[in-house]
Amino acid sequence: MANPTDVVKTGLRSLQIETPSWAYGNSGTRFKVFPQQGIPRTPFEKISDAAQVHLYTGTAPSVALHIPWDRVDDYEGLAAYAREQGVRIGAINSNVFQDPDFMLGSVTNPEPRIRHKAVKHLLECVDIMDATGSTDLKLWFSDGLNYPGQDDLRDRQDRLAEALREVYDRLGEGQRMLLEYKLFEPAFYATDVPDWGTSYAHCVELGPKAAVCIDTGHHAPGTNIEFIVAFLLRAGRLGAFDFNSRFYADDDLMVGSADPFQLFRIMYEIVRADALAGGIAFMLDQCHNIEPKIPAVLRSVMNVQEATAKALLVDRDALRAAQRAGDVLASNAILMDAYNTDVRPLLAELRADAGLDPDPTAAYRRSGYAERIIAERADGQQAGWGA
Ligand code: RM4
Ligand code: MN
């Protein structure tokens, strides 16, 4: 293998991680949202906070918006503000799960008026992309059923396909549709896009601008996510990740906190496909309910960097040779050697090379930004995910 330090540094320089606007706002569970101090009150303030993460990591240059949580009058103005702060606006996340009309579904609702309303919202999101210069429309549907017989499973697939087609046909040059899936919740019996296979099949039917988004928290326990990654990469249909960690269901904890080994295995498949810099959006989709937001996002970005560094350290030539020789133990050992390497000194070096503080969290804490926003944002309405 070429000089491992160079391989890791070159690979990591091409890695970009997108942070979500909603990670900076108040969030919680259905039991309680514990408000924190210094929380942004506007999309502009969320962008300022996201810019802090980029400032100290150098690797988070874009921020995803969620509509309507981040609705503003002037999206071009918001994009210009982002640029001034040193970041840009990334994926536009649609929201067809909070309007009272969507109780029985959005794009799969049995009532045509409600389906039309849902599609209208998705089309509005594409208009916003035009204004912000975003290339990715992220779709997640909470649509599903709580009870067997509640609606017709197959008709709902037809309605879904029809709605997706209408939105797909509206996409401009260079714009993509990312279709996310989720096993269950809020629907408990059947979800209309429950798994990667369903998402993949709809994407293939739609055309080349549609790709799957893997939210790492949206699977049954024990699911081999790196297999899904490998399959979709091979098929050219892996569009994005929503990174987060889970212990039980869709816990939305910091990526790499619950199962860093799984994150490493996922990133190894990316490295294996030479896809670190190739059109896959590496996004975070997390909620920091009890920990301070900006330090938690910093930690998350660093966790992805660490897993990626380890994945880049895998001696792929040696691994391939051992695999071809059928040497089970040697193959496994090569992978584990990379995983068990402490890459933190290397990452500190990479940051120093780029003129950054080797310890982003310490640098952020020293900056006084946290104290400043607590003082400046004492009045007004704090942002939250508004459920
Ligand atoms: C959903 C899904 C979406 C995210 C919302 C907030 O469970 O993960 O990606 O935008 O939550
Ligand atoms: Mn998600």
Side-chain angles (χ1 to χ4, degrees), residues 58-179:
T59 191
S62 61
V63 50
L65 298 188
H66 210 297
I67 308 299
W69 304 337
D70 296 318
R71 202 166 256 153
V72 291
D73 293 334
D74 174 12
Y75 288 99
E76 271 142 27
L78 189 66
Y81 179 77
R83 280 194 299 276
E84 277 164 35
Q85 300 286 305
V87 291
R88 64 172 188 276
I89 294 180
I92 302 299
N93 287 250
S94 57
N95 180 325
V96 282
F97 51 90
Q98 287 186 310
D99 188 290
D101 267 348
F102 299 142
M103 183 172 81
L104 299 182
S106 63
V107 292
T108 64
N109 195 294
E111 205 181 311
R113 178 188 68 83
I114 295 176
R115 295 206 293 276
H116 178 73
K117 179 173 173 173
V119 169
K120 218 174 120 201
H121 170 74
L122 304 181
L123 295 174
E124 181 203 344
C125 289
V126 185
D127 293 341
I128 294 171
M129 291 163 68
D130 289 341
T132 56
S134 302
T135 54
D136 291 347
L137 171 68
K138 180 129 68 68
L139 304 177
W140 173 69
F141 298 108
S142 62
D143 296 42
L145 308 176
N146 269 5
Y147 296 100
Q150 182 190 322
D151 193 7
D152 189 88
L153 290 173
R154 187 166 156 176
D155 283 352
R156 289 174 77 91
Q157 285 302 306
D158 291 340
R159 297 173 200 146
L160 172 68
E162 203 182 305
L164 290 176
R165 169 57 61 197
E166 202 177 330
V167 179
Y168 184 91
D169 288 345
R170 161 69 181 83
L171 293 174
E173 200 62 40
Q175 292 181 336
R176 306 189 297 171
M177 172 188 279
L178 302 170
L179 182 56

Side-chain angles (χ1 to χ4, degrees), residues 180-203:
E180 186 173 349
Y181 57 92
K182 182 175 174 179
L183 176 64
F184 84 101
E185 198 196 40
F188 294 119
Y189 157 60
T191 298
D192 293 317
V193 189
D195 54 27
W196 68 270
T198 308
S199 175
Y200 171 72
H202 280 284
C203 289

